[in-house]
Amino acid sequence: MNGDDLVRSVKAVGSVRGLRAVRSALRRRRADARDLPARGPERARVPGAVTGAEPRPGGGLLRFARSELEVRVAAGGAVFWGWDGAGPEPSYALNGPAPELDPRALLEPDKDGGWRVVSERLTVVVSRHGAVDVCTPGGVVLRRELPPRWWEPVGGGPARWLQRSEVAADARFFGLGGRAGGPRLRDGTYRLWNTDPGGGFGPADDPLYITMPVQLVVADAGCHLAFYDSTWDGRVVLREGEEGAGSGHDRPGGSELRMEGGPLRCWVVAGTPARVLQGWTALTGAPAQPPSWALGPQHARWGFGSEREVRRVVGGYTERGLPLSALHLDIDHYDDHQVFTVDRAAFPGLPRLAKDLAQDGVRLVSIVDPGVRAEPGNPLYESGRATGAFVEDARGHEVRGEVWPGECAYPDFTHPAARTWWGGQYQERLDQGFAGVWHDMNEPVSFAPFGDPTLPRSARHDLDGRGGDHREAHNVYGLCMARAGYEGLRGLRPDERPFLFSRSGWAGMQRYGGTWSGDVSTGWPGLRASLSLVLGLGLCGVPYSGPDVGGFTGSPSPELYLRWFQLGAWLPLFRTHAAKWAGRREPWEFGPKVLEGARAALAERQRLHPYFVTLAHVARLTGAPYARPLWWSAPGDRALRDCEDSFLLGDALLVAPVLERGSDRRAVRLPRGRWYDTATGEAHDGPGQVLLNAPLSRIPVLARAGSVIPVLGESGGLELEVWPPAAGRTGGGLVVRDAGDGWEQARVERFTTRVDHGRVVVERVDGGPGAEVGLPVRVRGAVR
C-alpha cells in the first residue's frame, strides 16, 4: 500500500469507511500469508504412455504410466472425461446426479495403440499419450485436447494444471460467462474469477461478475460446447486460427486453460446451436421461468430516498400513460444499509406502499446483499452466529469484511444449514410487500483499496460437506446464494414462481433466476458491452438478463439514453437503473423527443408481451435463449458468425440496435430468407446486407417471412401477427399462453403458414386435422 492507494480508497468510499477498508484488506493479506501454505517446490507430471484399458458401461477407464482417464458418454449424447479419478460428481453445475450412461457406447482399440469410444452422436479418440479428440460420426475432429500437464507441490496440496486444446481454423469462440468484449471472443487472456470491477466497466474490462469455464465453439464442421468443471481461479488464453491460402496449411485455433486447482474434467456437447443448448440445459438444469410481470418494463435507482419519491416516479409513469411493471428499491431504503431492515423515517409504510402500487400493476423488488453487520445485538447477526452460518478462517474465527453496512460477516452459502437459515429471512421481505429480489455484492465483495476486493483465499467453507477454502468456493458463492434465496422464496410462497436475479453466479445459475449487467459505464462503449453480455450469457445457458439502461455510473445524453432504452426494450430483462449521483432516469427527464421515442419502445414491448412469455417457456423447455446471435440458425454462415451488432429475438425477429452516436441509418446483416422491415413492411432477401433507416424515434426490427408472433391486439386480447412466407415456402411459430405466475403446466400451441392463391393461410397443427386457429389473425406485409 502507498499513500495514493489510501487517498483513492478514502475518496471512493468515504473517510471512515475507507480507513476500515484498508484495515480489512490488511487483515485479509495477513490471514492468507498465515493460513495458505507456500507452494514451494513443484514437480511436473504428464500422463505418459497408455498401459491398459478397462471397458465400462458408457465408455471406459484408460490407464497411463502416471495418470488415469475415464471417458463416459451420457444417454443424451454428452461426453464426459476426467483425469485421476475425477468423476462428474460432486458438481455445483449439474442439476442433480450425473445423467445416465449410454449403454451402446463402447470402448474399443484404435490405431497406433490408442483407444476410442463410439457413440451415436460423437466419437472420442484417445491417443496412446493421452490426447483426446472429439469427432463427428464421420470422423471430423471438432476439438482436440492435447495431453494435460500438472504441477504438484512436493510437500502436498492442490495441483495446478494446464489443458491445451485445438479447434478448426475457421472456428470462433463464444461464452466464458459475462464478457463485455464479446460476444465473439477474440485472441486474448480471460480470467475465471468472479470480480466486482469497482465502479463502471466497459468492453475492455475483464473479468467481471460472472465467469464460467464454458466455451461455445462455432465452425463449419459444427458447433460444440466444452465445460471444464472446476470452480478454481483460472485463465483462458484464446487464439483464433488461420486458414492457409492456396496450398498453405491451416493453423488451428487454440485454447489454453490454466487452473490453480480442482479436478481436471470436462463435458462436451455437440450439434446444432439449439441442440447444444438443449443438451447443456439437460446437464445443468432448466432456466427458472420469471413471473409474467417480470417480462415487462422495470425501473430502479440507487437513491429514491423516500416513499414520497417512489410515489412521484410511479405517478409520473401513470400520468403519461407509460407502462411499468416493477420498481426496484436499492440499499438506500434499508436502515443504515442493513439487509432485511427498513428505514422507517424514509419509508414509514412500506407494506401499504407495496399494496397501493400493486393495485396499479406495479410490483416492488428489493435488493439483497450478503454482508451482515457484525454487531452484537443485531438480530440477524446473532441468529446467524447461533446457526453457525458465517464463513470462518482456518483458526475458527469469523471472517470480516467492509461493505455498505460497515464491518460484516458473510454467510457460507456452500453450507446447507446456512442456505436454509438465509432462505427463511426472505419472509421479512415478503411481509414488507416485495414481490421479488435482486442479489448484489455477492461475488462476494469486501471493499479494498488494493488487491482483490473479496474474502481471504484461506477462508474456510463447508462446500456441502466436503470442506475447503475460498479458492474453491469463491466462484460459486453467488450461485449458492441464489439457490438459498430461490429455495427460500419457493418454500415461503409455494404457489408463486420466485423472481430473483443475481449479479454474480456460475454455471447452472439459470436454475434460480437471471442476472443483469452490473455497473456498466455510461457511454457508447457501455451500450455495446450491454449487448455483448446478454448474448454471451445466453450462450452459457442463462437466458434472462439485461443491462442497466443508460449505464450505471454517469449521466447519458438524451440520444444515448434513448438508444439504450430502445435496446433494452428488446432484451429479456428491461430495467433502467443508475447510481444516486447519476441523476434521474425517468424517460420524461430527457425532453419531449426522448419521451415520445421511449413511449413507442414501451408500447412495442407491451404489445409483444405474449411473445416474451412464449420465449420464456421455450427457454425453460429447450434452453434456447431469448436473445440469440444471428448465426443461431445458420452457424455455417461465416459472415453471421462475425456479426456482433444485431441479434435474433426468438426465431421470428431480428433486432438491429443503434450503437453509435449520431447514426440515423445502419447496415444490417441478414440471414438467409426473406425479412420484412416491421416499420415499413418492405421485404428484403438474405443472405446479404441492407441499409435501413434508423431515426431517433426507433431502431430497425425485421420479421422473418412466415413467422407467427403472439401479440396483444388493440383491444388487449391475444392475437396472431403473421408475416407472409415467400413464394413456395412455409412458415410457422409457437404460442404459449400466459397461465399466470404459478406452476401451471404450459400448453404449447403450434401454427403453420402458407400462401394459397395469393392468400395467407394459418393453420393450427397441435390440435389435429382441421383444428380451429382459435385466435384473431392479422397479416402484415405484402404477399409476393
Side-chain angles (χ1 to χ4, degrees):
M1 181 187 69
N2 57 37
D4 290 339
D5 291 326
L6 179 58
V7 169
R8 279 195 294 269
S9 72
V10 169
K11 286 183 177 180
V13 296
S15 58
V16 175
R17 182 171 288 131
L19 292 172
R20 289 202 304 250
V22 171
R23 197 162 57 241
S24 174
L26 291 174
R27 284 201 308 265
R28 184 170 69 246
R29 284 192 171 187
R30 286 196 297 269
D32 284 346
R34 180 189 67 222
D35 298 328
L36 280 183
R39 294 194 66 87
E42 295 177 316
R43 64 168 66 92
R45 173 168 63 90
V46 295
V50 67
T51 60
E54 177 186 336
R56 293 180 176 179
L61 179 70
L62 291 96
R63 297 184 176 89
F64 295 82
R66 290 174 289 277
S67 298
E68 290 185 345
L69 172 67
E70 184 174 10
V71 179
R72 303 183 184 185
V73 178
V79 169
F80 171 84
W81 51 261
W83 287 94
D84 294 340
E89 301 175 67
S91 170
Y92 280 104
L94 298 187
N95 184 33
E100 295 182 0
L101 300 177
D102 183 353
R104 300 168 297 175
L106 301 174
L107 177 68
E108 58 189 34
D110 194 42
K111 58 185 179 180
D112 299 327
W115 293 79
R116 65 178 180 176
V117 177
V118 179
S119 68
E120 181 180 3
R121 297 182 182 176
L122 291 172
T123 297
V124 183
V125 179
V126 183
S127 77
R128 60 192 181 95
H129 289 293
V132 179
D133 289 357
V134 180
C135 311
T136 67
V140 177
V141 178
L142 296 175
R143 187 178 192 90
R144 170 166 293 153
E145 306 282 358
L146 302 178
R149 183 182 294 266
W150 295 266
W151 288 268
E152 300 168 330
V154 173
R160 299 183 295 120
W161 52 264
L162 166 67
Q163 178 66 69
R164 291 190 174 97
S165 311
E166 293 180 351
V167 296
D170 66 284
R172 296 289 182 262
F173 293 100
F174 300 85
L176 296 183
R179 304 289 166 168
R184 172 186 161 194
L185 302 177
R186 265 72 173 185
D187 294 1
T189 301
Y190 302 87
R191 190 178 177 194
L192 298 170
W193 186 255
N194 293 350
T195 303
D196 174 12
F201 68 86
D205 292 296
D206 186 274
L208 297 179
Y209 314 97
I210 300 173
T211 66
M212 299 182 194
V214 178
Q215 295 179 18
L216 186 71
V217 182
V218 185
D220 288 353
C223 302
H224 72 272
L225 180 148
F227 167 55
Y228 298 90
D229 193 355
S230 171
T231 66
W232 286 64
D233 191 1
R235 282 178 169 80
V236 182
V237 180
L238 298 180
R239 185 195 71 245
E240 292 184 346
E242 293 181 0
E243 293 183 293
S247 60
H249 292 289
D250 289 350
R251 178 173 66 81
S255 166
E256 179 180 288
L257 174 58
R258 293 178 178 267
M259 299 295 285
E260 294 301 311
L264 175 45
R265 56 186 179 178
C266 182
W267 285 95
V268 177
V269 184
T272 65
R275 175 169 283 184
V276 167
L277 264 294
Q278 187 171 26
W280 176 237
T281 300
L283 285 173
T284 59
Q289 186 179 356
S292 175
W293 58 263
L295 297 170
Q298 305 177 49
H299 187 84
R301 191 206 308 161
W302 177 21
F304 283 125
S306 70
E307 178 179 324
R308 180 179 179 182
E309 176 67 2
V310 169
R311 291 185 183 275
R312 185 196 70 82
V313 170
V314 174
Y317 275 89
T318 303
E319 292 165 10
R320 293 168 178 83
L322 304 177
L324 181 66
S325 65
L327 187 134
H328 299 218
L329 298 187
D330 212 316
I331 55 175
D332 53 291
H333 86 279
Y334 282 132
D335 180 13
D336 201 17
H337 298 152
Q338 294 188 78
V339 68
F340 302 126
T341 64
V342 176
D343 182 346
R344 300 293 180 183
F347 293 87
L350 194 53
R352 180 65 189 180
L353 172 65
K355 185 176 180 180
D356 290 347
L357 297 186
Q359 290 176 349
D360 294 328
V362 180
R363 276 79 170 179
L364 276 184
V365 175
S366 171
I367 191 172
V368 172
D369 290 353
V372 176
R373 180 182 287 179
E375 181 179 72
N378 175 5
L380 183 63
Y381 175 65
E382 298 291 358
S383 172
R385 287 185 65 188
T387 308
F390 296 122
V391 176
E392 297 180 343
D393 64 17
R395 300 185 176 190
H397 301 141
E398 272 180 13
V399 170
R400 303 282 180 86
E402 184 69 22
V403 210
W404 297 117
E407 188 177 54
C408 289
Y410 295 81
D412 180 7
F413 294 114
T414 71
H415 196 302
R419 288 198 296 268
T420 300
W421 165 76
W422 184 263
Q425 306 307 313
Y426 288 77
Q427 183 66 60
E428 184 274 340
R429 294 288 86 186
L430 297 178
D431 291 343
Q432 296 296 339
F434 289 105
V437 296
W438 52 295
H439 288 173
D440 202 355
M441 307 291 286
N442 59 338
E443 289 70 36
V445 173
S446 174
F447 293 144
F450 50 86
D452 194 5
T454 189
L455 304 187
R457 292 185 172 224
S458 57
R460 302 299 299 173
H461 290 265
D462 182 73
L463 291 168
D464 286 273
R466 292 183 293 112
D469 59 41
H470 197 67
R471 293 174 296 176
E472 185 176 358
H474 174 86
N475 280 336
V476 295
Y477 189 89
L479 169 74
C480 294
M481 181 183 179
R483 178 181 176 181
Y486 182 86
E487 292 177 348
L489 289 169
R490 185 164 183 177
L492 293 168
R493 288 201 177 163
D495 296 331
E496 296 181 13
R497 298 198 300 271
F499 177 54
L500 183 151
F501 60 103
S502 172
R503 192 171 79 172
S504 185
W506 201 64
M509 66 178 293
Q510 74 277 358
R511 299 190 295 265
Y512 313 118
T515 184
W516 89 105
S517 65
D519 300 344
V520 61
S521 293
T522 298
W524 293 93
L527 172 61
R528 186 175 291 271
S530 296
L531 177 58
S532 298
L533 285 162
V534 173
L535 292 177
L537 286 163
L539 295 175
C540 291
V542 186
Y544 183 80
S545 66
D548 282 346
V549 167
F552 180 76
T553 57
S555 299
S557 67
E559 179 193 9
L560 174 59
Y561 174 82
L562 182 53
R563 292 308 194 190
W564 216 317
F565 199 91
Q566 290 165 337
L567 169 63
W570 297 92
L571 296 177
L573 172 58
F574 179 22
R575 183 181 83 146
T576 58
H577 187 219
K580 56 185 177 182
W581 58 79
R584 293 172 173 171
R585 286 288 172 80
E586 294 77 52
W588 55 88
E589 299 289 348
F590 294 86
K593 287 187 177 180
V594 171
L595 175 58
E596 290 312 303
R599 185 190 305 278
L602 286 166
E604 190 65 3
R605 175 68 177 226
Q606 287 299 91
R607 193 179 75 88
L608 287 168
H609 187 267
Y611 186 53
F612 277 92
V613 170
T614 295
L615 293 179
H617 282 280
V618 169
R620 181 180 62 83
L621 294 170
T622 70
Y626 309 36
R628 310 166 186 177
L630 289 191
W631 48 259
W632 178 261
S633 299
D637 188 328
R638 297 189 179 187
L640 297 182
R641 294 208 294 257
D642 294 339
C643 183
E644 301 175 281
D645 61 359
S646 303
F647 63 96
L648 299 174
L649 183 62
D651 286 331
L653 297 175
L654 189 160
V655 183
V658 175
L659 305 176
E660 297 179 356
R661 179 190 291 111
S663 298
D664 60 3
R665 304 187 80 192
R666 62 150 295 174
V668 180
R669 174 71 59 180
L670 298 180
R672 182 176 299 278
R674 177 164 297 166
W675 296 84
Y676 294 93
D677 187 328
T678 59
T680 66
E682 184 179 0
H684 304 276
D685 290 325
Q689 188 168 273
V690 294
L691 189 63
L692 299 179
N693 290 327
L696 188 60
S697 59
R698 63 177 174 83
I699 59 175
V701 177
L702 299 101
R704 190 190 300 270
S707 295
V708 177
I709 305 173
V711 299
L712 291 178
E714 294 182 1
S715 64
L718 184 63
E719 293 183 356
L720 300 182
E721 181 175 277
V722 177
W723 295 87
R729 301 280 185 176
T730 60
L734 304 176
V735 177
V736 182
R737 305 196 192 209
D738 186 0
D741 295 332
W743 302 96
E744 295 84 356
Q745 184 68 33
R747 187 180 68 177
V748 180
E749 302 174 34
R750 295 175 172 84
F751 299 89
T752 61
T753 60
R754 58 185 172 86
V755 175
D756 184 11
H757 295 90
R759 185 175 67 91
V760 176
V761 178
V762 180
E763 297 174 314
R764 182 172 171 180
V765 297
D766 60 296
E772 292 286 337
V773 172
L775 290 169
V777 174
R778 185 162 68 98
V779 178
R780 296 185 61 188
V783 178
R784 296 198 313 177

